[in-house]
Amino acid sequence: MRFVRSLAGPNEVFLPDGTPRPIYRPVLDELEKMGAAGWEERRRRAHELLLAEQRSFGLTGEDKTHPTEWIPRVVTSGNWEKLERGLTQRLRAINEFLRRLEQGREEVVPEEVLKTSTLYDVSTPNRFGPVPVRQIAFDIVATGDPEDPEFFVIEENAKMPVGLAPMTRRRRMTSGVVFPESYSELGVRPLDGCLERLGHSLRAASRKGDEATLAVVSGGPADQFYLDHHIYASEMGAILAEPKDLVLDGEGYLVHRSSGRRIDVVYERVDEDRLYAEVPGLLECHLQGRVHVLFAPNSEIIDDKGVYVFVPEMVRHYLGEEPLIDNPPTLSLAVEADYRYVMERFGELVIKSRGGYGGKEVMIGPEESREKVENFRRKVEANPVEYIAQEVIDFSTHLVCETDGEGILLRDSYADYRVIALAPDPETVEVVPGSLTRVAAPGRHVVNISSGGRMKDTWVLER
């Protein structure tokens, strides 16, 4: 078993001298004991079990199980507590921002940022409800000493965040198939019931509470996350529907065509423009309170990276607290001084579109060709207000595992955390005790699955 280090970021599994960190010894011992042949066999079994579940939902076409790296990330209880406290604070501040925005009393985000956002329609009334965001995914990186890291939130995802379904499936495989011995030895906080708790948080948007009829609205079989949509519906006891399956009845309520059931809460996993175009009257139905659309129109303003810049100030202004987890330094190209600075160092920085997602419309200057940098520069020059910039961060790395003729080869790969927080009521925030870690393609910083990244289970230790 060999470890090859090629990146500047600190590795969470191995010390600088190449010896394993103590917390990872059980995992590495089990890996070494199984050997290259055993590793390939366990990977194969895990994938076959994921495929079998896909087929159990009647999905017999292409593989929709998501690319996975099976060596788990391990997080100490102390480091997880830092994450939990910081993300709870951020979600409380975000929901207060959205409540103020709904009431016309927002004081932190400049009006010009809202007006120029592609994720905010000033002509649409805001109706967020008492808990504007009931589920949010935080993308986080760790820097510095992996045993006592500093965490930074890279972005928030309130609109269709991917996370809980693939998290639970990878946990089943790591704990039961790939690393059962080390999972038992280390004492890992379970993910049992987290999808049911998500269902409770979503149904709480309706006055009927847990008796509300919940619909998971999917883009259909062509969607790369269609398997996840089946899992959500199955484990939350919800209706799985496509937009074409929904219609408003004569009294203006949303109805599932084939079952005739009235729907109280919509958990959309489909593009918003398609949803409202294919279900005429849905927006009015939501605004009138006859149905609650979880990602209410305009609530995804929090996904705008131009608004994200101001979340630490939301914490200070609305909660009267200092942020426990901050953003990395971020520049807005809408500010003339920042724009000049960024354009002078363009190829050295990370440039992101405010409304981009899934790793799209992101340029990491040092990793791109001169031609791609210049093409991206022209796009930014045409509309600078749509972009932000950050320094390249050498955040921590984890492992990707391969087998070769000499045995098992471990390589470092940049890794982030995607942590899901739930808010069932205005006073409660629950951070799911695990993360969908994502590792980047070799030599890249972008970890998104749609950009070549892979998923990884994250074990949070009990103590």
Side-chain angles (χ1 to χ4, degrees):
M1 188 165 69
R2 297 175 296 127
F3 171 55
V4 177
R5 189 193 306 271
S6 61
L7 303 174
N11 188 259
E12 296 182 10
V13 183
F14 289 95
L15 292 161
D17 65 2
T19 59
R21 298 183 188 275
I23 197 173
Y24 277 96
R25 285 196 180 277
V27 173
L28 295 174
D29 287 348
E30 188 170 3
L31 178 59
E32 190 165 36
K33 187 165 63 175
M34 72 179 80
W39 169 251
E40 292 294 347
E41 172 60 18
R42 294 190 191 190
R43 285 181 56 198
R44 183 190 62 77
R45 284 174 52 205
H47 186 233
E48 284 184 350
L49 287 168
L50 293 175
L51 274 176
E53 180 179 46
Q54 172 183 318
R55 296 184 187 111
S56 76
F57 290 117
L59 307 179
T60 56
E62 65 178 296
D63 185 343
K64 291 184 177 291
T65 62
H66 309 312
T68 304
E69 282 292 340
W70 288 109
I71 295 179
R73 189 182 217 166
V74 182
V75 184
T76 65
S77 58
N79 284 337
W80 187 258
E81 183 183 0
K82 288 197 293 187
L83 275 172
E84 201 167 38
R85 290 172 55 233
L87 301 184
T88 295
Q89 182 191 59
R90 282 182 80 103
L91 182 49
R92 287 173 53 223
I94 286 168
N95 271 334
E96 186 58 32
F97 156 70
L98 290 171
R99 279 190 284 265
R100 300 284 183 116
L101 186 61
E102 183 176 19
Q103 298 161 6
R105 298 191 295 118
E106 160 53 18
E107 301 166 342
V108 173
V109 179
E111 186 176 358
E112 58 267 29
V113 173
L114 297 175
K115 285 183 175 178
T116 56
S117 176
T118 60
L119 300 177
Y120 194 78
D121 181 359
V122 294
S123 68
T124 300
N126 297 323
R127 181 183 173 273
F128 302 142
V131 184
V133 176
R134 293 177 179 273
Q135 175 197 4
I136 194 165
F138 295 97
D139 291 345
I140 303 154
V141 296
T143 64
D145 181 1
E147 294 178 22
D148 185 23
E150 182 175 8
F151 296 109
F152 291 101
V153 174
I154 298 299
E155 61 185 61
E156 278 94 10
N157 295 271
K159 183 179 181 180
M160 296 196 297
V162 176
L164 277 187
M167 278 170 62
T168 60
R169 269 45 197 179
R170 272 124 204 91
R171 174 59 54 83
R172 283 185 185 179
M173 297 302 110
T174 56
S175 63
V177 176
V178 189
F179 287 101
E181 295 173 19
S182 44
Y183 181 84
S184 177
E185 180 179 344
L186 283 168
V188 182
R189 292 180 62 178
L191 295 178
D192 299 348
C194 66
L195 283 168
E196 289 85 348
R197 293 196 295 278
L198 171 63
H200 169 76
S201 296
L202 303 185
R203 285 186 170 91
S206 167
R207 291 188 298 271
K208 297 179 183 177
D210 286 339
E211 301 303 313
T213 299
L214 173 66
V216 176
V217 182
S218 169
D223 193 302
Q224 65 173 322
F225 297 110
Y226 193 47
L227 172 59
D228 296 359
H229 305 162
H230 276 270
I231 292 169
Y232 284 123
S234 175
E235 299 215 7
M236 295 192 301
I239 293 171
L240 179 64
E242 297 177 44
K244 63 182 176 60
D245 301 325
L246 306 175
V247 67
L248 266 63
D249 67 13
E251 297 178 55
Y253 287 91
L254 187 66
V255 172
H256 182 231
R257 287 181 190 270
S258 61
S259 69
R261 295 172 65 187
R262 280 185 176 176
I263 293 168
D264 302 301
V265 181
V266 171
Y267 183 46
E268 62 264 48
R269 314 300 298 177
V270 64
D271 181 76
E272 181 183 79
D273 292 340
R274 175 181 169 185
L275 177 64
Y276 291 111
E278 294 188 17
V279 188
L282 176 59
L283 177 59
E284 292 74 14
C285 185
H286 168 79
L287 294 175
Q288 293 163 4
R290 293 189 174 94
V291 71
H292 190 93
V293 180
L294 264 305
F295 305 126
N298 289 343
S299 65
E300 66 265 31
I301 184 65
I302 202 60
D303 288 27
D304 187 322
K305 296 173 185 65
V307 172
Y308 145 89
V309 172
F310 295 93
V311 175
E313 186 56 32
M314 294 176 196
V315 171
R316 297 185 186 98
H317 190 84
Y318 292 130
L319 305 185
E321 302 168 4
E322 279 301 306
L324 298 174
I325 300 181
D326 211 338
N327 302 346
T330 304
L331 301 172
S332 170
L333 274 67
V335 177
E336 181 60 31
D338 289 354
Y339 173 76
R340 290 198 302 270
Y341 176 84
V342 169
M343 299 314 287
E344 289 171 2
R345 300 183 57 212
F346 197 82
E348 304 169 24
L349 301 172
V350 178
I351 315 293
K352 300 178 180 179
S353 166
R354 287 170 50 183
Y357 62 93
K360 301 171 184 175
E361 290 296 306
V362 174
M363 185 207 74
I364 300 177
E367 295 180 0
E368 303 293 353
S369 67
R370 180 176 297 181
E371 181 183 6
K372 287 187 177 179
V373 169
E374 289 307 310
N375 287 341
F376 210 90
R377 178 193 288 271
R378 286 192 286 273
K379 293 170 73 171
V380 171
E381 288 173 337
N383 187 22
V385 73
E386 173 55 23
Y387 294 89
I388 65 167
Q390 297 170 327
E391 299 285 342
V392 177
I393 301 174
D394 271 323
F395 51 95
S396 63
T397 68
H398 208 267
L399 297 181
V400 294
C401 181
E402 303 170 357
T403 57
D404 59 16
E406 300 178 36
I408 293 174
L409 174 64
L410 304 174
R411 294 188 294 155
D412 52 354
S413 175
Y414 285 108
D416 79 346
Y417 295 85
R418 168 160 285 189
V419 182
I420 306 292
L422 308 176
D425 61 65
E427 309 303 322
T428 305
V429 174
E430 177 187 357
V431 179
V432 176
S435 163
L436 186 68
T437 286
R438 299 174 301 175
V439 289
R444 299 279 295 171
H445 278 77
V446 178
V447 300
N448 302 77
I449 305 306
S450 55
S451 300
R454 296 187 172 213
M455 298 179 176
K456 183 184 284 281
D457 191 13
T458 306
W459 293 358
V460 177
L461 301 190
E462 294 275 12
R463 60 183 183 278

